[in-house]
Amino acid sequence: MPLVAASKKLIKFDTKTFLSTINGGRKIEAFPQKQTIFAQGDSSDAVFYIREGKVKLAVVSQIGKEATIGILNEGDFFGEGCLTGQPLRLCSATAMSACSVMKIEKKSMMEVLHREQAFSEMFVAYLLARNIRYEEDLVDQLFNSSEKRLARMLLLLAHFGKDGKPESVIPKITQQTLAEMIGTTRSRVSYFMNRFRKLGFVDYRAGDVLQVHSSLLNVVLHD
C-alpha cells in the first residue's frame, strides 16, 4: 500500500476538529448581538453550529405576529431542515448575544454524515435529544399552568443541573420573549417574575442579568 494512502487511513476523524476548522464547505462567521443569521423564507442551503453565544429562533405569521420557538446555546445545531430537502427557511435565526457560528454547506454536511460514523452517531443523538425536549415542551404546554411553564423555561435557559450549578441567564431575555415561548401574555410573565423574585427564586444582578436559584424547582415539582 502506498505510504500516502496508508497515512490517510491512519488519520482518525475528530468531531471537535471538524467543528472548529475551516475547510471543505465549512466557514466560521461572527454575528454581533441582534444580527440576523438567516431570515424566514431564505434559501435553505446549510447547517449551522454554535461555537459561542446564544441564538433565537422565531417565526412570523402572515398577519405579522411573531413567536419565539427556541433559544439555542453553544454546541447546538440549527438549520438542518436543508438535509431533508427543505428549500426555504421556515423560521428566522437571530444572534441573542455576540456569536461565533460555523456554517456547513449542505453538500459538505451530507458527505461527512455518510462518511464518518462517529459524527453521524453524534448528530443523530443530538437530534433525538432535541426531539425529546420538544415532546416535553408539548406535554408542558398541554398540562401545566403558565407559572410552572415559566419556571421550567427559566431553569432550562439557566442550564440548571449542568456541573451541579445553575448559570445566569445571559443575555437578558425580555418578558415578551418568555411569554411567546410558554404561550401566555407578557403581563402574566411579569406577575410571576415579580412573585419569583419576592420568594427568592430569582434575582437580578448588574445589567439586569437574571440569576436562577435551585429553589425555583419547588414551583415545577409542586402539584
Side-chain angles (χ1 to χ4, degrees), residues 172-189:
K172 179 184 176 183
I173 296 177
T174 67
Q175 292 184 354
Q176 181 59 42
T177 296
L178 287 171
E180 292 169 358
M181 294 180 72
I182 66 171
T184 190
T185 62
R186 192 203 62 77
S187 60
R188 293 294 286 169
V189 169

Side-chain angles (χ1 to χ4, degrees), residues 35 84 133:
Q35 183 171 332
T84 62
R133 161 71 189 279

Side-chain angles (χ1 to χ4, degrees), residues 31-213:
F31 295 91
Q33 186 178 6
K34 296 185 179 180
Q35 183 171 332
T36 299
I37 298 171
F38 60 71
Q40 186 173 330
D42 283 354
S43 177
S44 183
D45 57 3
V47 177
F48 295 82
Y49 174 78
I50 304 174
R51 300 176 70 249
E52 294 179 8
K54 288 181 181 288
V55 172
K56 179 176 80 170
L57 301 181
V59 294
V60 179
S61 69
Q62 291 184 345
I63 61 173
K65 185 177 180 180
E66 181 175 323
T68 299
I69 59 174
I71 302 292
L72 306 180
N73 302 282
E74 179 181 331
D76 286 340
F77 291 90
F78 62 101
E80 69 281 354
C82 66
L83 302 178
T84 62
Q86 183 186 93
L88 303 175
R89 301 293 184 190
L90 300 181
C91 67
S92 296
T94 307
M96 290 190 70
S97 64
C99 290
S100 174
V101 177
M102 169 164 281
K103 181 179 181 180
I104 310 171
E105 293 178 3
K106 176 182 176 179
K107 181 181 178 182
S108 178
M109 189 70 174
M110 294 293 286
E111 286 176 351
V112 74
L113 285 171
H114 284 102
R115 186 180 70 243
E116 303 295 345
Q117 183 178 354
F119 184 85
S120 180
E121 290 177 352
M122 178 276 294
F123 188 64
V124 169
Y126 169 80
L127 293 180
L128 289 173
R130 195 175 65 183
N131 187 63
I132 291 171
R133 161 71 189 279
Y134 286 162
E135 290 179 352
E136 292 172 345
D137 288 347
L138 180 58
V139 171
D140 188 45
Q141 189 75 24
L142 291 173
F143 298 110
N144 289 331
S145 66
S146 53
E147 182 180 26
K148 273 192 178 183
R149 297 201 303 271
L150 177 60
R152 175 175 174 270
M153 183 57 64
L154 291 173
L155 290 166
L156 288 171
L157 291 172
H159 297 279
F160 180 76
K162 182 181 177 182
D163 299 326
K165 298 179 181 178
E167 299 177 358
S168 296
V169 177
I170 302 174
K172 179 184 176 183
I173 296 177
T174 67
Q175 292 184 354
Q176 181 59 42
T177 296
L178 287 171
E180 292 169 358
M181 294 180 72
I182 66 171
T184 190
T185 62
R186 192 203 62 77
S187 60
R188 293 294 286 169
V189 169
S190 178
Y191 171 79
F192 291 130
M193 289 298 289
N194 286 331
R195 183 169 182 271
F196 292 165
R197 182 175 54 80
K198 289 176 181 178
L199 292 171
F201 297 157
V202 302
D203 61 78
Y204 291 93
R205 303 298 188 187
D208 286 334
V209 171
L210 183 67
Q211 183 73 36
V212 178
H213 300 293

